[in-house]
């Protein structure tokens, strides 16, 4: 399955469902304390996902809503440790601001262009981008890579390589700490090898989910 077609939120929502499915699969085999822990994790996943969706769809504003205005935006790709995200650098509101957005293949070929801020939504070249967080007046930390000032002739080739398996593989890098979290859980609650395996898979699924719901960038 490729990332090109479909809604920008399809991938993070699918990963969310996958993380909840992993939690549900292990719940019948746990003790009362283990099930309570799994339920707490699942509620955290649902709650944080709901918050991110509320920001993405404008239920909770990612910037101060007001009258419509025209600004100029540039796509910036952030690389920090194992994290990679797309940001829109917004000019024309006084000083530069940065808005993290969910990955959309259109970002790969986006050059500096005008955008419309209307209420709680942003449209760039007639396309809506979905915020993955609130707008920031502080430059994102890490390595920042600006898009070329001219359209990239290889953009379509890059977009064709962005598949959901590739995105999962990239987001799975954050799962390296899952065994450590599982060891901590077994140390606290016990349960032996079965509990360690269950806790490892749940921690891995949730770490992948966290990368996806924060708006990871596979480009």
């Amino acid at each position: 399955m490729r990332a090109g077609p479909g809604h920008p939120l399809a991938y993070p929502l699918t990963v969310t469902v996958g993380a909840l499915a992993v939690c549900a699969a292990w719940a019948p085999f746990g003790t009362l304390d283990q099930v309570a822990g799994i339920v707490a994790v699942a509620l955290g996943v649902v709650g944080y996902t709901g918050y991110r969706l509320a920001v993405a769809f404008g239920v909770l504003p990612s910037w101060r809503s007001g009258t419509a205005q025209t600004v100029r935006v540039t796509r910036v790709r952030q690389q920090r440790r194992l994290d990679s995200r797309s940001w829109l650098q917004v000019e024309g509101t006084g000083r530069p601001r940065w808005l993290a957005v969910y990955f959309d293949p259109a970002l790969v070929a986006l050059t500096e262009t005008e955008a419309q801020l209307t209420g709680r939504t942003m449209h760039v070249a007639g396309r809506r981008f979905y915020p993955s967080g609130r707008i920031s007046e502080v430059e994102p930390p890490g390595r920042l890579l600006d898009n070329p000032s001219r359209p990239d002739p290889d953009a379509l080739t890059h977009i064709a390589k962005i598949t959901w398996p590739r995105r999962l593989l990239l987001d799975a890098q954050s799962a390296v700490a899952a065994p450590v979290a599982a060891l901590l859980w077994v140390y606290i609650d016990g349960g032996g090898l079965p509990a360690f395996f269950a806790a490892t898979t749940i921690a891995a699924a949730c770490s992948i989910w966290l990368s996806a719901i924060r708006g990871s960038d596979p480009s």
Side-chain angles (χ1 to χ4, degrees):
M1 182 180 296
R2 297 195 177 278
H7 198 281
L9 293 173
Y11 170 75
L13 287 179
T14 301
V15 174
T16 300
V17 172
L20 293 175
V22 171
C23 292
W26 281 112
F29 304 101
T31 64
L32 186 60
D33 288 341
Q34 291 168 348
V35 171
I38 292 173
V39 170
V41 170
L43 289 176
V45 169
V46 171
Y48 191 62
T49 300
Y51 166 75
R52 287 287 183 173
L53 291 179
V55 172
F57 285 106
V59 178
L60 295 176
S62 53
W63 58 82
R64 293 180 180 178
S65 57
T67 59
Q69 56 181 314
T70 300
V71 296
R72 296 197 66 81
V73 298
T74 305
R75 184 254 186 155
V76 176
R77 184 174 181 271
Q78 175 198 25
Q79 186 69 48
R80 187 188 186 198
R81 300 189 183 95
L82 297 178
D83 293 331
S84 179
R85 302 176 72 186
S86 271
W87 296 74
L88 294 179
Q89 182 174 322
V90 182
E91 306 276 357
T93 59
R95 53 183 174 179
R97 298 182 180 184
W98 290 265
L99 179 67
V101 293
Y102 284 101
F103 178 76
D104 187 314
L107 290 167
V108 177
L110 184 68
T111 58
E112 183 178 355
T113 187
E114 290 187 348
Q116 296 292 326
L117 292 178
T118 307
R120 297 175 179 177
T121 63
M122 173 178 283
H123 291 81
V124 182
R127 191 179 187 96
R128 179 175 178 178
F129 288 94
Y130 294 86
S132 61
R134 296 183 182 276
I135 200 164
S136 173
E137 296 182 353
V138 180
E139 182 178 283
R143 184 185 179 193
L144 302 181
L145 303 174
D146 292 349
N147 267 19
S149 57
R150 297 181 179 180
D152 184 357
D154 298 324
L156 293 178
T157 302
H158 295 321
I159 292 173
K161 295 179 180 179
I162 301 173
T163 62
W164 280 24
R166 170 187 166 89
R167 298 188 69 172
L168 283 171
L169 182 62
L170 292 174
D171 287 343
Q173 297 179 84
S174 59
V176 294
V180 177
L183 282 173
L184 180 62
W185 173 258
V186 172
Y187 176 77
I188 295 174
D189 190 64
L193 187 60
F196 172 76
F197 183 68
T200 298
T201 55
I202 291 175
C206 288
S207 64
I208 296 173
W209 158 79
L210 187 60
S211 294
I213 204 64
R214 291 182 69 247
S216 59
D217 186 326
S219 63

